[in-house]
Amino acid sequence: MSMSIHRTVSAVDTRVDTSGSGVWHRLHSERENICETLLKDCHLTGVSLPSTEGETRAETWHRALLEARLRKVDDALDRLMSGSYGNCTQCGRWIQDNKLDFDPAIAFCLSCWERLQTQH
């Protein structure tokens, strides 16, 4: 079974290589680190993934931040695989390269991000 998983990962690597393997590797590495941290935190504290009464507010907050970031990274990987990576998910315009370099999981151009901030 591990052989087929390895082949799947290799196929993904090869496909993305032509359009941004550095970005894929950066996002995938961050994803692995987040998952490792979430699993380690669960094992260390004895907390299952749904929050429990024994979990402190700081632990709950930290886990929520990690889970939110994981969703953003997964969404960015999905966009990369579908060919829409680098385009704003709201308006479709290109997101500036320096913004993507700073945070490869960014989903919005500056205009849409500012508009979303004023709505909340």
Side-chain angles (χ1 to χ4, degrees):
M1 181 171 188
S2 65
M3 293 295 286
S4 64
I5 292 172
H6 180 67
R7 284 187 210 139
T8 302
V9 171
S10 295
V12 170
D13 267 342
T14 304
R15 190 182 117 168
V16 175
D17 252 348
T18 60
S19 66
S21 66
V23 173
W24 186 87
H25 287 292
R26 187 173 164 193
L27 288 166
H28 194 268
S29 176
E30 182 178 355
R31 184 184 196 290
E32 286 178 348
N33 290 338
I34 292 169
C35 289
E36 265 182 39
T37 302
L38 285 169
L39 288 172
K40 187 187 322 177
D41 288 352
C42 288
H43 290 300
L44 289 176
T45 61
V47 175
S48 59
L49 285 179
S51 65
T52 64
E53 291 180 30
E55 190 175 26
T56 68
R57 284 178 60 159
E59 290 168 337
T60 303
W61 177 76
H62 183 250
R63 186 169 42 86
L65 284 177
L66 288 172
E67 290 171 352
R69 181 63 185 176
L70 182 60
R71 283 189 297 275
K72 287 180 181 182
V73 168
D74 282 345
D75 289 346
L77 285 166
D78 288 346
R79 290 191 304 276
L80 187 63
M81 297 305 295
S82 72
S84 63
Y85 179 79
N87 296 330
C88 176
T89 58
Q90 291 290 312
C91 69
R93 283 182 282 178
W94 180 251
I95 300 169
Q96 296 173 333
D97 288 338
N98 62 343
K99 305 281 189 244
L100 292 169
D101 287 342
F102 178 74
D103 180 3
I106 197 166
F108 305 107
C109 67
L110 184 58
S111 299
C112 290
W113 183 81
E114 287 174 344
R115 188 172 29 257
L116 288 169
Q117 294 305 305
T118 59
Q119 292 174 357
H120 291 103

